[in-house]
């Protein structure tokens, strides 16, 4: 029995699902997903009210919940999803749920375990999207670049009906092109950091040309308290953003998020307080003009800052060939 045969047999044995169950889920390899453009992020949610925040987001109108095993809160998020669906009368099929594979669980055997644990924590039978969180594996305390063998395992998850789409996060141009060239399934989605201080316009256009949807994490830039914002003004306090917000009777956060959506990518702002959850959702009613977008675009001439880059800490090259790598 070949190595690949062993992997396929193991996956179906572990999942213990029938062909009839898998056929109930829409499985596609290359179709661009119809992902809600305004999502709710769960990285760094306050554990004391994470469940309530996720439930409130669904009740407010969010239909896209972004999760990750590495956020160490998926059990709380799962309870919030269940509560939100119950209180709104929605079905599981009415919302989009994304999760991500941890670095320590790269490789066929561990990836299966990671996905099963994620589904158990979230209380779901399948995901809409499963991402490789980083092109980085970690074993025995050491990090190294690895993604192909793990991707091959993730392709099998589509066949098993445990996720509708698979994708990647935080890949460089060289890594993403290499993955596409050596696999049968093109990533449906690439999630990476982008906002007016890190616009990555050319990189975004490349994805659009190749039919890969982009989800922007940290769409509000340095508003995240985990980031060092001492080197430049808070994005929400930038005078360009504030002037547009005043003209359009929106908040600065809504203007920034609407700018992101207007570029064709989804955005996943995090919020723990109800007023912020509702404010961010109000983005859908905020209108900005082409001139407004041009003014925000012009910020790239003054500011280029990547806030999330663990390359030095992990000892691996990341974001090579991209802005502020």
């Amino acid at each position: 029995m070949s190595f690949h045969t062993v992997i396929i047999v193991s996956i179906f044995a572990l999942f213990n699902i029938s062909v009839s169950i898998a056929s109930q889920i829409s499985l596609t390899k290359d179709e661009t997903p119809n992902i809600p453009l305004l999502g709710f992020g769960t990285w760094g949610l306050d554990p004391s009210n994470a469940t309530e925040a996720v439930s409130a987001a669904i009740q407010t109108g969010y239909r896209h919940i972004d999760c990750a095993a590495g956020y160490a809160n998926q059990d709380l998020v799962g309870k919030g999803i269940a509560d939100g669906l119950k209180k709104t009368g929605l079905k599981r099929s009415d919302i989009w749920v994304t999760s991500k594979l941890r670095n320590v669980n790269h490789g066929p055997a561990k990836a299966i375990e990671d996905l099963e644990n994620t589904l158990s924590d979230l209380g779901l039978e399948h995901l809409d999207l499963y991402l490789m969180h980083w092109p980085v594996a970690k074993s025995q305390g050491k990090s190294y670049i690895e993604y192909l063998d793990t991707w091959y395992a993730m392709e099998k998850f589509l066949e098993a009906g445990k996720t509708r789409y698979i994708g990647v996060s935080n890949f460089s141009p060289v890594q993403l092109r290499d993955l596409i060239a050596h696999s049968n399934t093109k990533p449906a989605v690439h999630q990476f950091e982008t906002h007016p201080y890190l616009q990555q316009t050319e990189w975004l256009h490349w994805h659009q040309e190749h039919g890969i949807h982009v989800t922007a994490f940290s769409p509000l830039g340095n508003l995240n308290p985990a980031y060092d914002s001492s080197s430049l003004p808070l994005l929400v306090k930038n005078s360009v953003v504030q002037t547009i917000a005043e003209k359009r009777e929106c908040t600065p956060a809504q203007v920034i998020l609407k700018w992101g959506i207007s570029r064709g990518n989804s955005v996943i702002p995090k919020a723990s307080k109800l007023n912020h959850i509702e404010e961010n959702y109000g983005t859908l009613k905020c209108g900005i003009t082409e001139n407004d977008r041009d003014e925000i675009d012009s910020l790239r001439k003054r500011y280029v800052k990547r806030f999330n880059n663990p390359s030095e800490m992990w000892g691996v090259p990341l974001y090579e060939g991209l802005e502020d790598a």
Side-chain angles (χ1 to χ4, degrees), residues 76-130:
L76 301 176
V77 171
K79 292 175 182 176
I81 291 174
D83 188 64
L85 293 180
K86 180 179 179 180
K87 288 180 176 176
T88 57
L90 294 171
K91 303 185 294 294
R92 165 64 183 90
S93 58
D94 293 323
I95 65 170
W96 177 285
V97 181
T98 295
S99 189
K100 309 176 192 75
L101 172 74
R102 292 191 302 168
N103 294 4
V104 294
N105 283 333
H106 275 225
K110 289 186 177 180
I112 297 168
E113 181 181 0
D114 190 277
L115 177 55
E116 288 287 15
N117 288 339
T118 281
L119 292 173
S120 176
D121 286 344
L122 292 173
L124 303 177
E125 294 183 356
H126 75 277
L127 297 171
D128 294 284
L129 174 65
Y130 193 49

Side-chain angles (χ1 to χ4, degrees), residues 23-263:
S23 66
Q24 295 173 20
I25 301 171
S26 175
L27 304 178
T28 57
K29 283 190 173 185
D30 296 309
E31 179 187 347
T32 302
N34 186 25
I35 182 169
L37 296 185
L38 179 62
F40 185 75
T42 61
W43 176 37
L45 277 181
D46 184 344
S48 68
N49 78 329
T51 294
E52 292 78 6
V54 173
S55 177
I58 294 174
Q59 293 177 65
T60 299
Y62 292 84
R63 298 294 179 261
H64 170 186
I65 309 297
D66 183 82
C67 323
Y71 301 164
N73 61 7
Q74 288 195 132
D75 56 337
L76 301 176
V77 171
K79 292 175 182 176
I81 291 174
D83 188 64
L85 293 180
K86 180 179 179 180
K87 288 180 176 176
T88 57
L90 294 171
K91 303 185 294 294
R92 165 64 183 90
S93 58
D94 293 323
I95 65 170
W96 177 285
V97 181
T98 295
S99 189
K100 309 176 192 75
L101 172 74
R102 292 191 302 168
N103 294 4
V104 294
N105 283 333
H106 275 225
K110 289 186 177 180
I112 297 168
E113 181 181 0
D114 190 277
L115 177 55
E116 288 287 15
N117 288 339
T118 281
L119 292 173
S120 176
D121 286 344
L122 292 173
L124 303 177
E125 294 183 356
H126 75 277
L127 297 171
D128 294 284
L129 174 65
Y130 193 49
L131 302 176
M132 192 185 311
H133 207 156
W134 298 87
V136 178
K138 184 175 182 180
S139 178
Q140 298 181 335
K142 296 188 67 175
S143 295
Y144 54 95
I145 300 296
E146 189 284 319
Y147 48 85
L148 284 179
D149 285 344
T150 299
W151 185 253
Y152 299 150
M154 291 174 64
E155 288 181 310
K156 301 300 186 293
F157 301 161
L158 287 172
E159 299 172 15
K162 289 298 180 176
T163 184
R164 296 174 58 215
Y165 299 94
I166 55 175
V168 297
S169 181
N170 299 297
F171 272 53
S172 72
V174 169
Q175 291 163 345
L176 185 52
R177 291 188 181 102
D178 181 56
L179 183 145
I180 293 172
H182 293 93
S183 61
N184 294 321
T185 308
K186 180 178 65 178
V189 176
H190 188 185
Q191 184 175 131
F192 55 83
E193 179 184 351
T194 181
H195 43 72
Y197 284 167
L198 188 69
Q199 299 187 18
Q200 306 200 90
T201 304
E202 292 77 14
W203 190 215
L204 179 62
H205 288 168
W206 185 92
H207 287 78
Q208 293 169 342
E209 291 169 359
H210 289 80
I212 301 173
H213 178 78
V214 170
T215 295
F217 75 74
S218 296
L220 295 174
N222 53 350
L223 190 62
N224 191 317
Y227 296 151
D228 178 12
S229 60
S230 59
S231 60
L232 66 174
L234 285 174
L235 182 54
V236 293
K237 294 187 180 298
N238 186 283
S239 60
V240 171
V241 172
Q242 290 192 322
T243 298
I244 295 171
E246 185 176 350
K247 285 193 299 184
R248 306 305 168 205
E249 298 183 340
C250 302
T251 68
Q254 289 170 348
V255 167
I256 296 164
L257 295 174
K258 195 56 174 278
W259 172 85
I261 290 174
S262 73
R263 304 172 86 206

